Structure formats: structure tokens, C-alpha cells
Amino acid sequence: MKKMLAVMVAMVACACYMSMDPDMDVTDISYTVQTGDTVWAIAEKYSDAQVKPFNEFVFEIQDRNNLAGKYIMPGDQLVIPLWTRAKK
């Protein structure tokens, strides 16, 4: 239990740190859930456009869409946050 709590705290701290990074931009896109989709599979579709670690990206999708569990239904509209490096 303590280990799980420590991992969660580390993930939140890292997410907060990355969200404050001035060298990163976020663009939200809308995604309509298809039959057979999972949050994990949707994250994999967009993982190439990410600068965040994959597990944080999955967590971010769940957080942005207030997903308490892992279940999503076909037709659901999800917000997918795409974190990219800011162009200089």
C-alpha cells in the first residue's frame, strides 16, 4: 500500500512539474470511442505525439475525462491532451 501511494505521489509530482514546463505545449483533441477501444489502446494511438512518459499519458487521459474506472463505451467523447515540445 505504501509503495502504491509513493508511486501515485511521484506520478502527480511529475505531472505537475511537466505541466509547468515552459518548453511544452498542450493541444486537446476530441476522440470518439470505437468498439473494442480501451484507454490504453487510445493512448498507444497517440503516443508518438507525446513527450510525456506513456504511463503518465494514460493517467492524463483518465484524469482529463474524469474516468474513475477503466471502462469506456463506444460513442463516448474523450479529450486527448497531446503534450509536445514548444517550438522555438
Side-chain angles (χ1 to χ4, degrees), residues 10-61:
M11 286 178 62
V12 169
C14 189
C16 289
Y17 170 76
M18 292 189 81
S19 67
M20 290 185 239
D21 188 343
D23 293 335
M24 292 177 59
D25 289 330
V26 65
T27 302
D28 289 339
I29 63 167
S30 179
Y31 180 83
T32 303
V33 176
Q34 306 297 312
T35 301
D37 275 346
T38 63
V39 174
W40 189 273
I42 294 167
E44 285 180 331
K45 289 180 185 182
Y46 294 99
S47 64
D48 289 345
Q50 288 300 303
V51 293
K52 285 191 170 193
F54 184 77
N55 62 331
E56 288 180 27
F57 182 42
V58 172
F59 175 76
E60 186 80 22
I61 292 171

